[in-house]
Amino acid sequence: MTDSTPLRFRRYENFIVIAMFFTYGFVMMDRLSITFLFPFMAPELKLTNTEIGLSVSILSICWAISSWVFSSLSDLMNAKKKFLTFIILVFSLASFSTGLAATFGVLMLARGLMGAAEGPVVTLAQAAVIADSSQRRRGFNMGFVQSSTALLGSVVAPLAVVAIAESLNWRYSFYLLALPGVIIALILMRYMKEPVMIGSAVDHVHVKPKLSDYKQAFAHRNIWLGMIISVGFMGWLFAFTTFAPTFLVEVDKISPGKVSLVMSAMGLGSFIWGLVLPYLSDRLGRKPIMITFGLLASLAPIVLAEVHATAGVLAVLAFFLAVAQGYAPVFMAIIPAESVPRAFVATAMSLIVLVGELFGGTLVPTIAGSLADHVSPVAPLWMAAAGSFLVFLVSFGLKETSPMKLQRTAAKNGLEDVLPTG
């Protein structure tokens, strides 16, 4: 290895982290933008709360299945770059098609296509980061990439799409959202290398995994517990983000423009926590972070449900309580990456996404929408709080995977360093 090789590796590490940050971020911007546009779309398309929930659920169903199928294929074929660039182009097309929806049926079709295209992006992006991250930066890199969900999906998206909807029409928001995906796909085609999941990441030596080894993706208890945690988190995320804007407009009588500021403040808090919590989990351990902040995240929807204050006060509270997006990369990407063999990291992450999306992302929004229609508009927010409380409870069963924490424990006990498989 020449002296310049590590420097080249670090430069590519920085490139892939930044590229996946924007890839991941634009996917979540596409996905979450519709929740901020429902106050504009619902009257025109005559959508009930139940139909709003269904339009979120159909995306989650398609997202879950496609994430598992294409992530598994990408592991077995060792061809993540090809899958990633193709599906980015497809989800850009799906975003554009959402703007063409004139009926609830067409909207469901467009959102289903978007879910099928976007599902594998999350796992493939994080697999690329894992392959080209040094161990000391692994947790921070993966947290930084996933923090784009908050910055682009929860800060930029509500401000941008609501402004476009108010000045032009909600349809133009979806048309414009298609452009960043096309640009990202072209950049990845030109500069991205195929991630190396077995072999040397520095020298890019590829070894394809065997189909008979696929079962290793299911072999660690953290993956099974991660599936349950994912149900709670997805339930929190989609019950909260889907119905909070409509709740604040209809119940608290806050204008859509001011609601977008509240949600953006929460998004900014999520971005900061998304950087801080993975970094802290490197040093304090993954498990303590999941337990502590799983409980704290339960407060955010309760505050919005019960504190009927001005938009400014709610924005401040939302900023400080937006911790769930901070623990998300810990259970969804970092823990599985450190729990299973590297060759099947994308599959392991997709299993966690699959179960979370099918139950937390599909059933919860539909049930929450029905309860909002027939029981109380505050019901979805209490369901969101229950979701993160489930995260808190299940996290007690996780097995610690942080290399730094394990090394300290081993040294304290006078044992050899025993690190996780991944």
Side-chain angles (χ1 to χ4, degrees):
M1 182 183 297
T2 65
D3 291 339
S4 61
T5 300
L7 179 59
R8 290 200 303 270
F9 177 74
R10 287 194 295 270
R11 286 174 178 170
Y12 185 73
E13 178 183 14
N14 293 333
F15 161 75
I16 205 66
V17 168
I18 293 171
M20 293 305 107
F21 173 89
F22 284 105
T23 299
Y24 201 135
F26 285 131
V27 164
M28 295 309 296
M29 190 172 180
D30 277 350
R31 180 173 188 174
L32 297 178
S33 287
I34 196 170
T35 65
F36 310 115
L37 293 171
F38 276 136
F40 300 92
M41 298 171 63
E44 182 176 335
L45 300 182
K46 296 180 174 59
L47 301 177
T48 65
N49 282 312
T50 300
E51 289 173 333
I52 288 175
L54 285 171
S55 68
V56 174
S57 296
I58 188 64
L59 187 145
S60 293
I61 293 173
C62 296
W63 179 296
I65 296 172
S66 116
S67 174
W68 174 53
V69 170
F70 290 109
S71 295
S72 297
L73 288 174
S74 76
D75 276 346
L76 294 171
M77 296 172 64
N78 205 5
K80 293 178 173 57
K81 177 181 176 179
K82 293 179 181 178
F83 278 95
L84 188 58
T85 52
F86 174 73
I87 58 183
I88 289 173
L89 292 173
V90 176
F91 85 63
S92 297
L93 175 64
S95 178
F96 188 89
S97 66
T98 303
L100 300 175
T103 65
F104 174 65
V106 175
L107 177 65
M108 291 285 283
L109 182 63
R111 301 308 286 179
L113 175 62
M114 176 171 285
E118 291 183 343
V121 173
V122 174
T123 54
L124 295 182
Q126 287 288 28
V129 173
I130 294 165
D132 290 291
S133 286
S134 54
Q135 188 182 92
R136 66 183 180 84
R137 285 182 51 183
R138 182 192 298 159
F140 175 79
N141 285 351
M142 298 176 75
F144 177 76
V145 168
Q146 200 149 333
S147 71
S148 62
T149 297
L151 184 62
L152 297 181
S154 301
V155 178
V156 176
L159 294 176
V161 300
V162 170
I164 294 170
E166 287 182 329
S167 60
L168 296 172
N169 185 280
W170 61 266
R171 299 179 185 276
Y172 287 94
S173 298
F174 291 109
Y175 299 153
L176 293 175
L177 284 171
L179 295 178
V182 175
I183 296 171
I184 287 289
L186 294 175
I187 292 173
L188 296 182
M189 287 178 189
R190 175 67 179 85
Y191 296 105
M192 183 181 178
K193 301 174 184 177
E194 179 61 42
V196 180
M197 307 311 292
I198 299 180
S200 170
V202 174
D203 299 324
H204 270 72
V205 177
H206 295 261
V207 180
K208 287 188 177 182
K210 298 178 181 179
L211 180 60
S212 59
D213 294 330
Y214 183 79
K215 62 184 180 181
Q216 294 182 42
F218 301 80
H220 201 287
R221 82 181 188 203
N222 281 353
I223 307 306
W224 295 96
L225 292 177
M227 295 179 195
I228 302 173
I229 290 172
S230 187
V231 173
F233 169 74
M234 295 291 185
W236 176 93
L237 178 64
F238 294 111
F240 193 17
T241 60
T242 300
F243 295 100
T246 302
F247 175 85
L248 293 176
V249 170
E250 295 182 353
V251 177
D252 286 348
K253 306 303 179 183
I254 300 174
S255 69
K258 289 183 178 180
V259 169
S260 71
L261 292 177
V262 174
M263 301 308 291
S264 290
M266 183 172 183
L268 182 59
S270 297
F271 172 67
I272 293 173
W273 286 115
L275 296 176
V276 171
L277 296 192
Y279 175 82
L280 291 178
S281 76
D282 280 336
R283 286 144 184 82
L284 303 179
R286 318 299 187 201
K287 184 175 178 177
I289 293 298
M290 291 300 304
I291 293 172
T292 302
F293 292 95
L295 179 61
L296 187 58
S298 301
L299 297 178
I302 295 175
V303 166
L304 257 67
E306 300 299 327
V307 180
H308 302 286
T310 64
V313 171
L314 290 176
V316 173
L317 292 172
F319 175 85
F320 286 105
L321 292 174
V323 297
Q325 292 282 22
Y327 71 65
V330 178
F331 84 84
M332 193 178 293
I334 300 173
I335 290 177
E338 296 171 336
S339 301
V340 303
R342 186 65 57 82
F344 294 103
V345 162
T347 299
M349 288 190 290
S350 73
L351 291 170
I352 291 173
V353 171
L354 172 70
V355 175
E357 291 282 358
L358 286 181
F359 293 95
T362 301
L363 293 180
V364 169
T366 301
I367 295 172
S370 180
L371 290 175
D373 280 334
H374 300 103
V375 180
S376 168
V378 79
L381 300 181
W382 281 98
M383 289 189 69
S388 195
F389 192 74
L390 176 64
V391 172
F392 161 72
L393 293 177
V394 177
S395 293
F396 282 96
L398 290 171
K399 185 175 181 180
E400 185 59 63
T401 63
S402 168
M404 295 176 66
K405 178 80 178 283
L406 292 175
Q407 287 169 1
R408 288 198 304 271
T409 302
K412 181 179 179 180
N413 295 331
L415 302 173
E416 295 287 334
D417 289 348
V418 180
L419 299 181
T421 308

